[in-house]
């Protein structure tokens, strides 16, 4: 065995599976190692182009790893693993293409020369991947449990495809909007309100949240007792987008950039922050109901003092 590194790796993997029937340890180790490799590349070469690629592809890696470890290949396991791989390929491919076109990621302008702060980003990304994958990881680990497909599965799958389609369309529409503005430097900067962006200020985030809750809805058929803790996966993704790395940062940036234009505030008042809704409807919703049901939180508004 010592003369065959691959055999040794397989043996270690099987030992971990025996000690960890839910694949939590082996997926944590795989995620940590995967992110560490890309972090070292990005930190040493001050290279932005692999960051989002490392995040998205890590999801696909864990889906395939846990599916092959279990070797039961039930329909639900195959479908959910394929969903994760499809989403990972789409998002990673899009983000990689975008960073190639843009050249650099300005999120890291203040991090590149601060290794500890840069490392914290990668640690958070590793946590996002590992926790986000918990529903599929646990489903793939339950090799002795295969409930019949039911309405929750089909509803969850519809949610996934609707979310994936919305996210993909929103990403492409915003990319073309930004490219048009870059190609015409003399034109006045304008917020994105084309296509699905007319109905939501962050339609791509709504699609992202919808598809992960769809995956959880299908996975829930397999869960028992403490396994329901995997709801932490979609909850973390939702929390990151609504409250940490997503909407608050983008809303503050847009407010600073466009806040001098009164038309921008009219647009913001009439456009739902997350759930796509017709403007004629949303503009008539009372502010209290907007906050309670449509995620229009005070932290998303940053009016500059006159």
């Amino acid at each position: 065995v010592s003369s065959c590194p691959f055999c040794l790796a397989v043996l270690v993997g099987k030992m971990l599976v025996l000690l960890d029937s839910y694949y939590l340890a082996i997926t944590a180790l795989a995620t940590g190692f995967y992110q560490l490799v890309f972090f070292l590349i990005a930190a040493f070469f001050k290279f932005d182009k692999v960051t989002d690629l490392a995040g998205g592809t890590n999801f696909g890696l864990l889906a395939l790893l846990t599916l092959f470890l279990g070797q039961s290949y039930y329909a639900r396991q195959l479908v959910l693993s394929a969903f994760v791989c499809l989403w990972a390929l789409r998002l990673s491919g899009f983000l990689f293409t975008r960073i190639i076109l843009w050249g650099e990621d300005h999120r890291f302008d203040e991090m590149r020369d601060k290794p500890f702060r840069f490392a914290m980003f990668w640690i958070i990304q590793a946590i996002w991947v590992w926790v986000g994958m918990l529903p599929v990881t646990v489903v793939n680990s339950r090799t002795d449990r295969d409930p019949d497909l039911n309405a929750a599965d089909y509803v969850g799958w519809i949610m996934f495809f609707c979310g994936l389609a919305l996210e993909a369309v929103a990403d492409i529409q915003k990319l073309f909007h930004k490219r048009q503005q870059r190609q015409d430097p003399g034109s006045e900067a304008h917020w994105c309100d084309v296509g699905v962006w007319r109905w939501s200020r962050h339609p791509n985030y709504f699609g992202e949240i919808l598809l992960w809750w769809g995956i959880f809805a299908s996975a829930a058929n397999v869960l028992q007792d403490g396994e329901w803790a995997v709801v932490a996966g979609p909850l973390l993704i939702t929390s990151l987008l609504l409250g940490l790395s997503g909407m608050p940062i983008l809303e503050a940036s847009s407010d600073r950039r466009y806040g001098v234009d009164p038309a921008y505030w009219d647009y913001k008042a009439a456009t739902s922050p997350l759930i796509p809704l017709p403007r004629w409807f949303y503009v008539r919703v009372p502010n209290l109901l907007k906050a309670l049901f449509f995620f229009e939180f005070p932290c998303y508004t940053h009016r500059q003092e006159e």
Side-chain angles (χ1 to χ4, degrees), residues 51-203:
T51 308
D52 289 320
L53 184 68
T57 55
N58 201 159
F59 280 87
L61 172 68
L62 295 190
L64 294 176
L65 174 64
T66 55
L67 182 66
F68 293 145
L69 282 174
Q71 298 184 356
S72 48
Y73 308 120
Y74 298 139
R76 186 179 289 103
Q77 294 173 336
L78 291 170
V79 169
L80 295 185
S81 298
F83 281 179
V84 172
C85 290
L86 178 62
W87 168 85
L89 286 172
R90 204 290 309 175
L91 185 62
S92 299
F94 169 77
L95 294 177
F96 185 69
T97 301
R98 188 180 69 177
I99 195 62
I100 293 296
L101 293 174
W102 289 0
E104 63 181 13
D105 193 331
H106 294 293
R107 290 178 300 172
F108 307 114
D109 288 347
E110 299 180 0
M111 298 185 193
R112 294 186 188 95
D113 298 321
K114 299 176 181 178
F116 178 76
R117 187 174 177 185
F118 194 41
M120 286 303 299
F121 170 86
W122 287 84
I123 291 172
I124 293 172
Q125 178 158 274
I127 294 171
W128 164 59
V129 172
W130 185 79
V131 176
M133 273 296 296
L134 283 175
V136 178
T137 297
V138 170
V139 167
N140 285 347
S141 73
R142 301 301 83 198
T143 59
D144 59 345
R145 198 184 305 160
D146 183 29
D148 292 338
L149 298 178
N150 58 32
D153 290 292
Y154 302 130
V155 170
W157 298 354
I158 291 171
M159 290 170 62
F160 173 83
F161 280 114
C162 288
L164 183 70
L166 177 59
E167 184 180 40
V169 169
D171 283 343
I172 293 297
Q173 288 177 341
K174 190 167 188 178
L175 180 66
F176 276 99
H177 171 79
K178 288 194 172 185
R179 285 192 66 185
Q180 283 185 330
Q181 293 207 319
R182 288 185 176 214
Q183 290 170 355
D184 187 8
S187 65
E188 184 178 353
H190 196 276
W191 52 94
C192 184
D193 61 351
V194 298
V196 295
W197 296 84
R198 289 185 58 82
W199 291 50
S200 167
R201 304 202 300 268
H202 303 279

Side-chain angles (χ1 to χ4, degrees), residues 39-48:
F39 163 70
L40 293 174
I41 295 172
F44 184 79
F45 294 104
K46 300 187 185 302
F47 191 60
D48 295 341

Side-chain angles (χ1 to χ4, degrees), residues 197-201 267-273 279 282 296:
W197 296 84
R198 289 185 58 82
W199 291 50
S200 167
R201 304 202 300 268
Y267 146 80
K268 194 164 181 175
T271 309
S272 167
R279 288 184 178 179
Y282 190 73
E296 190 70 82

